[in-house]
Amino acid sequence: MKIPKETEKKAEALKQQLAAAKTPDERLRALLELTRELWSVAPRDVEKAVKSAVSLLGTKGKVGALKEQLKKARTSDERLRILLELAEELWLVAPREARPFLEQAIEEASEVEQGELLAKAANMLAEICRNAGEPDSSQRYAELALRVARKVGSLRTEAGALNALGILHEYRAEYDQAREHYERCLELSREVGYIQGEQAALNQLAGLFGLQGQPQKALECYQKCLETDERLGDHQWLALHRHNIGWALEQMGRWEEATESLYRAIALSEQYGFEDLRLNATNSLGELFLKRNRLEQAIDLFNTVIGAERKQPHYQELLSIALGNLGRARFRLGDLAGAERAYTEALMMCEQAGNRRELAINSWRMAELALAKGQLERVESLLARASELTTESGLRRERGEILRVQALLFAEQNEAAKARDSFEKAMAALESLDDSYELARTRFHYGRFLLNSGERKPASGFLKAAAQAFGRLSVVAESEEVNRLLFQLEMPVDKEAALLSGVGGLAAVGLEPVSFFDRVLKLLNEGLGFESGAVLLENRPVVLLQHPDLKAAKASGRRRELVSTDTALCFPVRSADKVLGCVYLERGQPGGVQSSPGMLERVADLLAEPMRKLAELPLQQEREIEIRGLRYRGFTGRNQAM
């Protein structure tokens, strides 16, 4: 059912109110109004809103009852117990409202020497402060919790404090100290059977594996956590680990699985009101779309996160990360002014928060932007700052990226020897990251530099290594560019091998079928000397390049065999002896490159699976497609299960 425009506007305004809600009461009111607005036109959205409202009603009822109990409390012990129960009910859905109860609990617990309750409250406050972008306050509370826990001998509370301190060390890029704290937290948690502490330590250790370029190890840790979450029925941890598994899968290039896991994390977070987790998963989904070169979708997601964080801050570090990601997407689109604005704000936030890792990342990204704008002196100062930060923190991935941009700067300044040296150092810094995206990108840029310097053989080796990694990771934008360079490099030597390699490289990336055939037509036209073309599915044109004669294309396609003339070429694409469709190429004047039937058969074999997928997509009416010059963009398809 189509939603009326007026209802859609009201619903959007209510969703914005929902994102800005500061208390459970405000959130509940917005949810109920949203339900009333949508109940007759969007039942699925209503179902989600009702579930969230029911969950919040439970929280609201408990909070109200506890506040009444607090007024009637007669002893300090009773007051402390109620204050902590109030904080536990509120800190996930309304951390700002929970904070004064925790501060009061710490004050009263100190007066009556209730050490274990004091440490528990301090641990909770440490997390709230960290998420609010107050690392110094967070560290103060975490250290207080650790001192008190050790004094009273509470291993469970000590484990929580160690985990909080480990996160702060990681935030400051002090990875050795972070790992020591996580491992000690894991040891203590297992000793006392503290499952939540064990989960937290495994989760943080997995994050460190990810930072060190070992996503498979990270995935294994997260999957262990997920098994426990499902057994315990803990929705918060389920949402968190669904997000983290999605991130690990994305690092490994397993896009469909990663997308599904991230959407599950978002759905769980929406259902149970975990706003910070929802925004984290949304940002990660944007990063996935960015690597897949779906830039407009990525920008929409980053703006969603940024807008929500500006209205109601949940996690200050996430705002700076999303701004940096927005800058990357804008840069890719060629919007250099938009990229500069986003990077500048992200840098300012990182400076204020003392987040050295994100500060280093955004500094080298800003340097790459300045290089594109020809501001070479600014590039040097930004790289010097980023280099200082990474040297202090031992950030190998970021160090490699800085050296890569440094090499590009030297190349721009015609200092070939220095450029070569920086590329070599960048690859050495990234070698431990298991054939990562960053290493592949450095090899690609080095190969392109060598090709421009006339060193074709070594250039080919680096470009092929980059192409293989990009194909394995299904990274779209860089895959296309590196395959184009390899195609141009190999065409003068062996035209047929170059064509097969080029089409095979496109097939390996996992493009959507319409985008894939659009690029294949361009490649075949360039390689075989044609000017226009069409892909026909069951003799229906579905992808066009320039202005081919569609009547001639259909006539050739009906023959279901290779058709070759001086001005046209048509070859069928088969799967299990069934003709799925054909590829038609055309030129105005006779000539071009000769192609053997054997080579065209091998190309057709590479096209069979994408054409089968193309056949599964809904198509526009043929009369719409046959408009001269129209390039059919089609549908990207939808996973029915999702």
Side-chain angles (χ1 to χ4, degrees), residues 460 463-464 467 482-491:
S460 177
L463 291 172
K464 285 179 178 177
V482 75
N483 281 318
R484 180 181 60 80
L485 289 176
L486 282 169
F487 177 69
Q488 293 172 350
L489 188 62
E490 294 169 358
M491 270 293 287

Side-chain angles (χ1 to χ4, degrees), residues 417-579:
K418 289 183 178 179
R420 188 187 308 272
D421 182 58
S422 290
F423 275 126
E424 296 284 353
K425 287 178 178 176
M427 289 189 296
L430 296 166
E431 274 179 350
S432 63
L433 300 185
D434 293 348
D435 207 20
S436 65
Y437 167 73
E438 290 81 8
L439 178 57
R441 182 164 56 175
T442 301
R443 286 171 172 164
F444 162 42
H445 288 170
Y446 192 20
R448 185 175 61 187
F449 166 77
L450 292 171
L451 185 60
N452 291 337
S453 300
E455 300 179 54
R456 299 172 66 87
K457 189 172 181 179
S460 177
F462 285 116
L463 291 172
K464 285 179 178 177
Q468 185 177 9
F470 287 144
R472 179 179 58 79
L473 295 170
S474 299
V475 175
V476 174
E478 287 90 345
S479 286
E480 287 191 65
E481 193 170 352
V482 75
N483 281 318
R484 180 181 60 80
L485 289 176
L486 282 169
F487 177 69
Q488 293 172 350
L489 188 62
E490 294 169 358
M491 270 293 287
V493 180
D494 189 334
K495 294 179 176 61
E496 292 195 353
L499 270 173
L500 285 170
S501 177
V503 175
L506 287 171
V509 178
L511 292 162
E512 298 292 349
V514 173
S515 298
F516 170 75
F517 279 109
D518 184 57
R519 288 157 175 79
V520 164
L521 282 176
K522 292 176 183 175
L523 190 67
L524 292 174
N525 272 276
E526 183 180 350
L528 298 176
F530 289 91
E531 299 161 359
S532 61
V535 173
L536 287 79
L537 185 66
E538 296 179 351
N539 224 32
R540 175 195 294 267
V542 290
V543 183
L544 304 180
L545 180 67
Q546 299 300 329
H547 309 283
D549 184 337
L550 292 180
K551 289 184 179 178
K554 290 182 179 181
S556 298
R558 278 193 288 270
R559 295 175 62 176
R560 295 175 173 262
E561 61 184 17
L562 175 64
V563 177
S564 180
T565 69
D566 288 342
T567 57
L569 173 68
C570 182
F571 60 90
V573 177
R574 294 183 172 85
S575 177
D577 295 328
K578 177 186 176 182
V579 175

Side-chain angles (χ1 to χ4, degrees), residues 332-360:
R332 287 268 191 92
L333 276 176
D335 178 8
L336 303 189
E340 174 117 19
R341 285 194 300 273
Y343 284 151
T344 299
E345 187 176 355
L347 278 167
M348 181 182 68
M349 291 187 68
C350 294
E351 287 271 16
Q352 290 173 348
N355 189 335
R356 288 188 288 180
R357 178 173 179 266
E358 287 299 318
L359 188 57

Side-chain angles (χ1 to χ4, degrees), residues 199-271:
Q199 291 279 84
L202 279 171
N203 182 70
Q204 296 306 133
L205 283 169
L208 281 183
F209 283 134
L211 285 174
Q212 293 164 355
Q214 298 174 297
Q216 181 60 48
K217 286 186 176 180
L219 180 62
E220 289 167 4
C221 286
Y222 289 140
Q223 286 172 333
K224 287 179 184 177
C225 292
L226 192 65
E227 290 171 7
T228 305
D229 300 336
E230 290 172 342
R231 189 173 70 250
L232 296 175
D234 190 318
H235 298 114
Q236 182 197 3
W237 282 104
L238 271 170
L240 174 66
H241 291 126
R242 282 288 179 197
H243 164 259
N244 292 348
I245 284 172
W247 175 85
L249 290 167
E250 181 260 329
Q251 295 292 305
M252 298 166 71
R254 292 162 61 176
W255 304 109
E256 289 189 9
E257 295 169 84
T259 303
E260 180 182 357
S261 194
L262 289 170
Y263 273 123
R264 285 189 178 190
I266 291 170
L268 273 169
S269 300
E270 286 179 343
Q271 182 176 354

